[in-house]
Amino acid sequence: MAGGNWTRVNEFILVSFSSLPTELQLLLFLTFLIIYLVTLMGNSLIILVTLADPMLHSPMYFFLRNLSFLEIGFNLVIVPKMLGTLLAQNTTISFSGCAIQMYFFFFFGVAECFLLAIMAYDRYVAICNPLLYPVIMNQRTRAKLAVASWFPGFPVATVQTTWLFSFPLCGTNKVNHFFCDSPPVLRLVCADTARFEVYAIVGTILIIMIPCLLVLCSYSRIAAAIFKIPSAKGKHKAFSTCSSHLLVVSLFYVSLSLTYFRPKSNNSPESKKLLSLFYTVVTPMLNPIIYSLRNNEVKNALNRNFRKTLGLRNYIL
């Protein structure tokens, strides 16, 4: 920026929820700590149970393990720092720490978008082609699909983070958010960011809309196949196999779309923080609860492993 003043920023200040009273911040800390622990334990339990129980070695639970791993990573990137800002008022984050946080936020977020679409495709094959399902979704195919869901996160996160942090920053170093997201950091840039903003908008639309369209396409065909089932019991059984995933998809995409596609006039920093809390903190906690409470196979596996563990303990004693 010719003739302008700009400085090399060594650290940022996360405004987070510092405007709230101390008592309310402490209450938020306790609430988010409980949610964080439930998220870690719930998703870890899903991973362990689906690995340990031979009855859950199907493609659906292979992708569910991947989703749980993504949710754990998503939380580890954002929540510990947020808890620190609420409890110890440690609101500073280094320049490199902010860049790393943003990189992995994009990486895990993009990977989850595509993984949810692949999980919808898995349900489509299972319901619409049940006889060919073991052949189509063999071990090699599902491994390729998992890699395909993880891969887009690398170039998107690399380009977005590297490009944004190459801009000169001037004035305040306060990021009005509880983590280093792109829009609040972009407000600190003192250079022409028009090309970057176009790239960010187009990239966000493609990253959200392409998987979302794949999900809608899969579920439209699933719905058509379910309606052709003559018995009510058969329809209920077919729908129950994908209802958990459909609920998870709805929670994730709706909150994500409301966060990034709202008009700027209705998109205050505080409202964006609340919406961001939903898909970064609340949804990762709900996913294992939804899959365990609404899925009889997972509940039965949990019961079997609990009894097995309890029996082994009694034997040792």
Side-chain angles (χ1 to χ4, degrees):
M1 191 170 77
N5 294 323
W6 62 276
T7 58
R8 173 66 179 176
V9 174
N10 294 318
E11 65 179 19
F12 295 95
I13 298 174
L14 295 174
V15 174
S16 190
F17 305 99
S18 58
S19 61
L20 298 176
T22 304
E23 296 79 7
L24 187 54
Q25 289 189 53
L26 181 59
L27 179 62
L28 286 176
F29 168 79
L30 294 173
T31 302
F32 294 146
L33 178 62
I34 292 171
I35 292 175
Y36 178 58
L37 294 176
V38 170
T39 300
L40 292 183
M41 290 188 292
N43 283 288
S44 298
L45 189 61
I46 290 288
I47 293 172
L48 293 173
V49 169
T50 54
L51 280 172
D53 198 299
M55 300 295 292
L56 302 182
H57 286 180
S58 65
M60 182 176 77
Y61 297 107
F62 169 78
F63 293 124
L64 180 57
R65 282 196 297 275
N66 278 263
L67 179 63
S68 292
F69 186 83
L70 283 175
E71 300 290 26
I72 291 173
F74 210 57
N75 257 234
L76 288 174
V77 167
I78 295 172
V79 180
K81 182 59 183 176
M82 181 179 67
L83 293 175
T85 62
L86 288 169
L87 181 65
Q89 299 297 309
N90 180 22
T91 59
T92 60
I93 183 171
S94 66
F95 182 89
S96 58
C98 187
I100 291 170
Q101 188 182 55
M102 184 183 294
Y103 180 91
F104 283 104
F105 166 74
F106 284 129
F107 170 72
F108 287 119
V110 172
E112 184 163 346
C113 282
F114 283 94
L115 181 61
L116 289 172
I118 286 173
M119 292 175 75
Y121 172 72
D122 171 72
R123 292 298 82 210
Y124 156 72
V125 177
I127 292 173
C128 299
N129 297 283
L131 298 178
L132 295 176
Y133 179 63
V135 178
I136 296 174
M137 299 300 293
N138 57 60
Q139 190 172 2
R140 185 176 180 180
T141 300
R142 64 192 188 219
K144 287 182 179 180
L145 289 172
V147 171
S149 69
W150 285 74
F151 177 76
F154 287 107
V156 171
T158 301
V159 172
Q160 183 107 340
T161 306
T162 304
W163 193 353
L164 178 54
F165 280 88
S166 67
F167 285 121
L169 304 171
C170 57
T172 180
N173 63 342
K174 292 183 178 180
V175 178
N176 193 7
H177 213 334
F178 58 86
F179 71 98
C180 288
D181 197 3
S182 177
V185 174
L186 189 63
R187 294 191 187 99
L188 309 181
V189 172
C190 52
D192 183 8
T193 60
R195 289 178 61 189
F196 175 84
E197 290 183 57
V198 171
Y199 159 80
I201 292 171
V202 172
T204 302
I205 291 173
L206 292 176
I207 290 165
I208 295 177
M209 293 307 297
I210 289 177
C212 192
L213 288 173
L214 292 173
V215 170
L216 290 174
C217 182
S218 296
Y219 275 105
S220 64
R221 297 197 173 192
I222 289 172
I226 290 176
F227 283 131
K228 292 179 182 179
I229 299 174
S231 68
K233 185 178 179 180
K235 289 180 180 178
H236 176 74
K237 184 178 179 181
F239 179 74
S240 65
T241 63
C242 57
S243 60
S244 297
H245 176 258
L246 187 58
L247 182 57
V248 168
V249 166
S250 301
L251 290 171
F252 182 77
Y253 282 119
V254 168
S255 59
L256 201 63
S257 299
L258 287 175
T259 302
Y260 290 100
F261 293 151
R262 294 176 73 200
K264 286 189 176 181
S265 58
N266 300 327
N267 200 12
S268 67
E270 299 307 316
S271 64
K272 187 170 183 179
K273 287 178 191 177
L274 291 175
L275 288 169
S276 299
L277 278 173
F278 194 80
Y279 73 83
T280 58
V281 180
V282 178
T283 302
M285 177 195 68
L286 293 177
N287 288 354
I289 295 174
I290 291 169
Y291 274 106
S292 60
L293 293 180
R294 297 177 59 88
N295 190 308
N296 288 328
E297 290 182 337
V298 173
K299 286 191 288 187
N300 292 335
L302 287 170
N303 289 331
R304 284 194 300 271
N305 283 275
F306 178 75
R307 288 196 300 267
K308 183 179 179 181
T309 303
L310 189 61
L312 181 60
R313 183 179 300 172
N314 290 336
Y315 177 77
I316 293 174
L317 292 174

